[in-house]
Amino acid sequence: MTKLINIAIFIAVLTAFALTGCKAQQPVEVTDYVMGTVLTQRIYGGNRELADHVTAQIRLLESQISTNIESSDISKISRAAGKSLIETSQIELIELSKEVSEKSHGAFDITVAPITKLWGIGTENARVPSKQEIEAVLPLVGYENIVLKDGKAGLTKQGAALDLGAIGKGAASDLALSLYKEKDITSAVVSVGGSIGLMGRRPDEKSFKIGLRDPFGSANQHIAVLLLEDISVSTSGSYEKYIEKNGIRYHHIIDPFTGYPAQSDLVSVTVIHKSGALCDALSTACFVLGYEKGKELLNEYGAKGIFIDKDKNIYFAGNLDNIFELKQDSGYRVVSR
Ligand code: ADP
Ligand code: MG
């Protein structure tokens, strides 16, 4: 059941368009299921062995950072909260998470785990928790409680826990690109759910075309095309994972200050930056922050962004000239660039 739901989610918020009219070598194309979502790889000049190696390495990363895997470093850190520090190979990712938490003033916060666990959105146990339940665990949330020391990580408060769900897929896409590079690949596309990594350009020297999904449409409906090369891109949307109760929709991006789904009038945020992990973290942060503050945050990182609100208005952060092509009759309008 979960698998089905997740495959429906995969769908790519962003879709790398198939190449047409290109005489260059046929790429190897592989699809797998990892990190609760779909992993697709298209490697030009690569082979199946490389794709399988990348999948295996991403599964290894998942085994280290997943909250659903008891033996993961992240689960160990959470169990040891308030007691001890745990040695982990994922220090850099936790460090980057803490940095984005600081720069976003807590809008992005990987210590949001006690809250995301209560809601369980995206799992079979999804439900709307009571106000009391939320208030009881809210004091456990706070990135200041993350301790990093001598290759070890920990949490100062007992009961606190980590959730890398908002950065892990971007980190996985970075990992894939680094492994392609080791094999001297110069052109490839990897997507892990809504996080896409692009290596170089298409073999015909053109930019890759990435479809920006219609937040109100089905998975294969796009409102715009992004022309990109040698970069990463990630989307966070409220339409991805949600539950409904009494006619109210509760999505999976939490405002760590309230413990409830973020209410910023946005329906999706797409971030473009060299680092896939940063794109992933920043798209979640921006969804919580809203356009004005989100734009400031993206400026700090030299990242570009596309914010879409519930009235189908599109707002840009950074210069998207020659990158963003709105589809005619999309029903959306760019109101701020
Ligand atoms: P997706 O998982 O659909 O790619 P995101 O990258 O936006 O979407 O990450 C959302 C996930 O991150 C949630 O499912 C939850 O596990 C976690 N999360 C939710 N809100 C926050 C937040 N404010 N900061 C950090 N992580 C969050
Ligand atoms: Mg994210």
Side-chain angles (χ1 to χ4, degrees):
M1 184 62 185
T2 331
K3 191 162 179 172
L4 266 182
I5 296 171
N6 282 324
I7 284 181
I9 287 159
F10 135 68
I11 29 33
V13 187
L14 292 156
T15 320
F17 285 169
L19 243 176
T20 46
C22 172
K23 291 201 188 93
Q25 82 270 47
Q26 283 299 308
V28 58
E29 294 195 74
V30 178
T31 300
D32 289 291
Y33 188 79
V34 298
M35 293 185 161
T37 191
V38 176
L39 160 69
T40 65
Q41 305 183 64
R42 191 197 309 154
I43 318 168
Y44 294 93
N47 52 31
R48 180 72 202 224
E49 198 187 341
L50 173 59
D52 289 345
H53 173 61
V54 168
T55 303
Q57 291 300 306
I58 291 178
R59 286 198 206 285
L60 183 64
L61 173 66
E62 180 181 14
S63 75
Q64 291 161 346
I65 66 174
S66 173
T67 38
N68 302 322
I69 299 175
E70 284 210 6
S71 57
S72 77
D73 293 0
I74 293 303
S75 296
K76 284 183 194 157
I77 293 166
S78 300
R79 279 198 298 274
K83 294 179 223 144
S84 56
L85 303 183
I86 302 292
E87 204 167 300
T88 171
S89 55
Q90 296 304 323
I91 285 289
E92 277 180 32
L93 191 59
I94 301 173
E95 221 158 37
L96 179 66
S97 301
K98 197 175 177 185
E99 183 198 292
V100 177
S101 301
E102 282 162 2
K103 295 211 167 159
S104 68
H105 305 289
F108 171 87
D109 193 330
I110 54 169
T111 65
V112 76
I115 299 282
T116 49
K117 195 169 172 218
L118 267 186
W119 287 90
I121 300 177
T123 73
E124 278 156 12
N125 308 319
R127 68 186 181 96
V128 180
S130 71
K131 203 162 183 281
Q132 287 83 347
E133 284 177 288
I134 290 175
E135 279 168 4
V137 297
L138 212 46
L140 297 171
V141 179
Y143 60 87
E144 325 72 58
N145 302 323
I146 302 172
V147 186
L148 296 161
K149 204 172 166 225
D150 305 330
K152 293 181 178 176
L155 290 157
T156 50
K157 282 188 189 168
Q158 199 161 351
L162 297 180
D163 174 351
L164 265 56
I167 192 168
K169 295 192 253 316
S173 123
D174 286 338
L175 174 60
L177 294 189
S178 72
L179 295 169
Y180 300 153
K181 195 170 177 197
E182 271 179 20
K183 296 288 175 210
D184 296 325
I185 298 297
T186 54
S187 175
V189 181
V190 61
S191 72
V192 192
S195 287
I196 294 184
L198 302 173
M199 167 156 273
R201 281 183 275 183
R202 305 195 320 191
D204 62 2
E205 296 296 314
K206 289 188 178 145
S207 299
F208 287 107
K209 287 185 175 183
I210 306 297
L212 186 61
R213 179 179 160 178
D214 182 348
F216 296 101
S218 61
N220 53 5
Q221 284 176 301
H222 302 107
I223 60 163
V225 171
L226 304 176
L227 299 166
L228 299 169
E229 50 195 65
D230 229 5
I231 203 141
S232 298
V233 49
S234 178
T235 294
S236 285
S238 53
Y239 51 85
E240 283 187 67
K241 296 176 195 165
Y242 59 85
I243 49 167
E244 259 166 355
K245 193 183 170 191
N246 301 331
I248 302 175
R249 204 182 257 208
Y250 300 91
H251 62 75
H252 72 311
I253 303 170
I254 301 293
D255 180 337
F257 292 99
T258 64
Y260 282 85
Q263 292 185 311
S264 56
D265 281 354
L266 295 172
V267 286
S268 92
V269 181
T270 297
V271 173
I272 303 167
H273 187 276
K274 187 81 180 162
S275 157
L278 254 185
C279 285
D280 197 356
L282 290 175
S283 63
T284 306
C286 288
F287 193 97
V288 176
L289 287 171
Y291 176 56
E292 294 297 339
K293 286 187 184 158
K295 186 178 171 181
E296 279 173 34
L297 177 64
L298 295 187
N299 275 342
E300 263 189 72
Y301 278 103
K304 298 176 197 281
I306 300 153
F307 297 65
I308 306 178
D309 74 13
K310 58 178 175 28
D311 298 319
K312 301 194 171 180
N313 295 312
I314 301 175
Y315 308 80
F316 288 170
N319 184 355
L320 290 160
D321 292 350
N322 310 320
I323 290 181
F324 180 93
E325 285 176 3
L326 189 64
K327 257 175 81 177
Q328 275 190 339
D329 306 324
S330 68
Y332 289 75
R333 61 209 152 258
V334 180
V335 295
S336 178
R337 49 175 84 231

